[in-house]
Every structure is written in structure tokens, then in C-alpha cells.
Amino acid sequence: MEQTARKLENNEVTKQESTIYDLNPNKQVKIMGLPILWFAIFLLITIVTVYTGTLPTGMIGSLLVMVVFGEALGWIGDRLPIIKSYLGGGAIVAIFGSAYLVYSGILPESVSAGVDEFMTTGGFLDFYIAALITGSILGMDSKVLVKIGARYFVPIIGAVFGAMLIAGIVGLIIGFSVQDAVLVIALPILGGGMGAGAIPMAQVYSEFLGNPPSYYISILVPALALGNVFAIVFASLLNSLGNKVPSLSGNGQLIPGFKLEEKKSTFDISKMGIGLLAALLFFACGHLLGAIIPLHPYALMIILVAIAKIANLIPENVVEGASQWYQFVAKTWTLALLFGIGVAFTDLNAVLAALSIQYVLLVAGVVLGAVIGAALLGRLVGFYPIESAISAGLCMANMGGTGDVAVLSAAKRMQLMPFAQIASRLGGALILLLAGLIIPLFV
């Protein structure tokens, strides 16, 4: 019975993905729901405004470029052999395609600077993640939320020790010292990105080892960038593995019985507006508490939304509105956001500078160790191994919030965003603490 239910669920997921990406060759070819001819007209107009210098400044111009170019690159990536099956498809092409446009100078500097500003100081990444966290947590079953939260740090710890163990072994094989493999490669990759990981870690290294922080940042950045690449690729591979071995995968569920509450309801614009407001307010409350409590605002936001859900404090129309807003944002702006991540956060110079065989093998070993450790200990506490490996393993080994979006998009499991953020934010804090304890052992 369970196998039959799983097969039906798999078929339903495949059907939904087919609808979203229009991969059925018998259907009219569409991009973003538009006939390809109309999308080509929109793309042409956008290109003309970009290269004539008439693109509107600010949010309008940046969002136009991100949506149109992101959807185009995503559509191409979802149809390229090998890439669509094993390397992340549209997600990885949107990220690295846009990064290449910047690296090669094809995208004008004024446009890339505008996208960078919109993503960072403009807060588009925060806006997107706030919607996903609020909608996905409020849509969970509260009893299962408690059940998951109580044991989620077990696979995170598994990811950390798995990554350090494999890094040490691979380092010894290829000629790295255990100190360099663990301190310079493994811990930075697991540290939660640049702002929450590499920068404070460089300060910790400077305090214990003596060189200025800038020296360590120049060493840590290539590890982060390459680790993020492997995390995206492994996410796609794990998704393929889950399709081939259904017993290892919950299709986005961490444990049996955990899923978004799918209620038959018509999308309501007023409810979506309420959902938008709820996401903004929870995000603001996270920042408010962040001024008092020394935790990342994302982590505090997750805690607040979870408490509100468990205590049943949120009216049903707000819950439904948050869920509808989350679905709209995830379907409409994911590829746009991935394009922005490539422009603003993916430095191809750093990635290319790190491409020695030994370095690549060591970084791959760190990410693989995080996957294995999270999968094994996740299964030990009742999680599906693939979901545990993706959310607690790969989302420890990527570049924080930007990496979480890329990894979950490649894995087709966006509903795991709250747990990905726990791994990135609270897990990153754990790595900083661990670095402070480990470094004196090597001095």
C-alpha cells in the first residue's frame, strides 16, 4: 500500500513539474506560461533597452532583466542533455549563465551593478526568502513540526563531522595537511556563506594565527564558491537518485507524514496580500529580536513563525494567504532570483582560480562528506535520507541564503527552505564556535 501511494505521489510530482516547465513535447512550447513567440518579443525588447542604455533604473529595470533573462536561461538549461539530468538544469544555467555574462563583460556594467544593488541593498533576496519561510512553515502540520524540530540538529552534526572526516582523509591522500584540509577548506564551506561565515571566521583565524583577516578571506572565498557549485550539482544528483530509489526519498517531506497542508482553495488576491503582509511582519520581527538576541534574523524569524504555528496563534485566512503568496513567489520569481544570484554573488574569477585537481577533489570530498553524514544520521532519527542530505547536508555546504535557493531549486524541493535556513544560519553559528575550539589544537 505504501509503495503504491508513493508511486502515485511521484506521478503527481512529475505531472506538476511538467506543468511548470512545459517539458511535454506534444504541448505548445511556452516559457513562463507564454507562447514562445511572445516571450521572444519580450526578450528582444529587454535586450534593446539593455544595450541602448534606456533600461529603467532601480527595481523596475533590474527585475525586468532578472525575470526575462532568468526565465530564458532556465528554459535552455531544462533542455540541455546531461545538464538537465545531472547538473541542476535550469537552476545551474541561470546562475552560471548570468555569472558568465558579468565575467565576460557581455552584460553592461551599469545593468549588473543595478541587479547587484537590487539583490543586496534592495533586499530582493530577503523578500523572497521571507515569503518561503513564512508560507512553508505556516503550511506545515504543527505536530509534525514539533517532531522534526526536536531532532533536526542530529543530521546537521552528522554533516559537520562527515565533512571534516572526508576532508581529512582526502587531504592526506592528495598531499594536504589535516590542518589545511579542515581549517582552510572544510570549516569555511560549512560556515554559512560570506557574511555569516567567512568574514567572522577570518577574524577568528586572524586572532589565533596572526595574519590580517583580509589574508584569510582571500583563501576562504574560493573554497566557498567551489563548494557552492558542488552543492548545486549534488542536489540535482540526489533528486535523480530519489526518483530512481523511491524508498530513500520523501519527495520534499523530511519524515513520513510531513507535508504542506494541501487544501482545495481558489487563489484569492486579497488573501495573497495578507500573506505578503505576514511575511513582511515576521521578517521585521526577526530583525527586531536580532537587535537584542545574538542570532541571525532569519533564525529568529523561523523560531517566531514556528512558535506561532505550534501555538495556533495565526488565523486560518492568514495561514492560507501565506501559503498562496509563497506558491506565487516560488513559481514566478525563482529563476529571476537565481539570475540575480549569479550576477551579485557568484565570482567566476574565484571559482576558476581554484580549479586545481587537488583543490577540486578536496572540496568535492567536503561536500560529499556533508551529504553522507547528514543522510546517515538523518535516517537514524527517522528522516528520509535524501531530504536530510539536501537540507542539513548541502545547505550547510553552500553559500548561505543564496546557496539555499540554488540547491533547493536544483533538487526541486523548495518546501524545505525553513530547514535549509536552520542549517545555514544556526549551523553556521555552530561552525564558528567549533572553529574557535579547534584552531588552538593546531597552533
Side-chain angles (χ1 to χ4, degrees):
M1 288 291 288
E2 184 179 350
Q3 289 292 338
T4 303
R6 295 291 298 284
K7 284 179 182 177
L8 289 172
E9 189 174 355
N10 284 338
N11 290 338
E12 187 61 31
V13 170
T14 304
K15 244 195 268 183
Q16 289 171 357
E17 287 173 0
S18 226
T19 302
I20 292 172
Y21 294 107
D22 286 311
L23 299 182
N24 188 333
N26 297 321
K27 291 183 178 181
Q28 182 184 11
V29 177
K30 293 183 178 182
I31 305 179
M32 205 182 176
L34 292 167
I36 192 167
L37 178 60
W38 276 104
F39 185 85
I41 294 172
F42 292 174
L43 177 60
L44 178 62
I45 294 171
T46 304
I47 291 172
V48 170
T49 62
V50 165
Y51 290 102
T52 58
T54 56
L55 182 74
T57 58
M59 181 184 78
I60 292 178
S62 297
L63 192 55
L64 174 64
V65 168
M66 289 163 62
V67 170
V68 175
F69 287 5
E71 290 287 340
L73 290 172
W75 185 83
I76 292 169
D78 281 331
R79 283 156 181 79
L80 291 176
I82 299 175
I83 289 178
K84 71 177 182 179
S85 300
Y86 302 108
L87 299 179
I92 203 165
V93 172
I95 294 170
F96 289 99
S98 60
Y100 177 76
L101 292 178
V102 175
Y103 172 78
S104 62
I106 295 174
L107 192 68
E109 187 176 346
S110 60
V111 176
S112 62
V115 171
D116 191 326
E117 183 179 359
F118 181 54
M119 286 288 294
T120 53
T121 58
F124 184 63
L125 176 64
D126 291 334
F127 182 76
Y128 179 97
I129 292 177
L132 263 63
I133 289 175
T134 305
S136 54
I137 292 180
L138 291 182
M140 290 180 192
D141 182 292
S142 57
K143 292 180 181 178
V144 179
L145 180 58
V146 173
K147 191 176 180 182
I148 290 174
R151 62 179 97 164
Y152 189 66
F153 273 93
V154 174
I156 288 178
I157 292 170
V160 172
F161 285 100
M164 291 171 61
L165 177 62
I166 300 295
I169 294 171
V170 174
L172 289 174
I173 293 172
I174 64 176
F176 273 68
S177 69
V178 174
Q179 173 180 331
D180 287 343
V182 173
L183 295 184
V184 179
I185 308 296
L187 291 184
I189 290 174
L190 299 170
M194 282 294 294
I199 292 174
M201 192 172 291
Q203 293 170 337
V204 172
Y205 285 7
S206 177
E207 181 181 339
F208 282 100
L209 303 178
N211 293 306
S214 59
Y215 169 79
Y216 295 106
I217 288 177
S218 67
I219 297 174
L220 304 182
V221 166
L224 263 68
L226 196 54
N228 199 54
V229 173
F230 275 112
I232 297 168
V233 172
F234 281 20
S236 181
L237 294 175
L238 285 171
N239 179 53
S240 298
L241 178 62
N243 292 334
K244 293 175 182 176
V245 189
S247 62
L248 298 177
S249 172
N251 296 308
Q253 303 176 30
L254 266 173
I255 62 174
F258 161 57
K259 60 182 177 180
L260 291 178
E261 294 171 353
E262 297 179 359
K263 297 183 178 179
K264 299 294 182 181
S265 62
T266 304
F267 275 82
D268 186 317
I269 293 175
S270 64
K271 285 183 180 178
M272 290 175 66
I274 294 171
L276 164 62
L277 179 60
L280 298 179
L281 283 173
F282 274 116
F283 185 80
C285 289
H287 274 264
L288 179 63
L289 287 179
I292 306 168
I293 303 171
L295 284 176
H296 194 282
Y298 280 168
L300 293 168
M301 178 185 177
I302 292 167
I303 293 169
L304 281 174
V305 180
I307 290 173
K309 175 64 179 180
I310 292 167
N312 198 26
L313 299 177
I314 307 298
E316 185 59 32
N317 66 328
V318 176
V319 170
E320 193 170 334
S323 179
Q324 291 187 8
W325 175 243
Y326 145 73
Q327 293 174 60
F328 170 81
V329 168
K331 184 174 180 179
T332 307
W333 287 332
T334 293
L335 286 170
L337 186 77
L338 295 177
F339 182 91
I341 287 171
V343 171
F345 299 102
T346 306
D347 186 350
L348 278 190
N349 282 311
V351 174
L352 295 173
L355 290 181
S356 70
I357 296 297
Q358 294 88 344
Y359 199 90
V360 170
L361 286 174
L362 187 51
V363 172
V366 171
V367 180
L368 180 62
V371 166
I372 294 171
L376 290 177
L377 289 196
R379 182 147 202 168
L380 189 66
V381 295
F383 294 170
Y384 286 112
I386 286 179
E387 275 67 26
S388 183
I390 291 169
S391 63
L394 294 179
C395 292
M396 280 286 290
N398 60 26
M399 292 187 71
T402 58
D404 291 342
V405 175
V407 163
L408 297 184
S409 179
K412 295 180 172 58
R413 284 164 170 79
M414 274 296 187
Q415 62 268 51
L416 293 177
M417 179 59 77
F419 303 102
Q421 286 294 303
I422 291 172
S424 291
R425 303 307 172 185
L426 299 184
L430 173 65
I431 294 301
L432 288 175
L433 174 61
L434 194 59
L437 296 175
I438 290 177
I439 291 172
L441 301 179
F442 290 107
V443 175

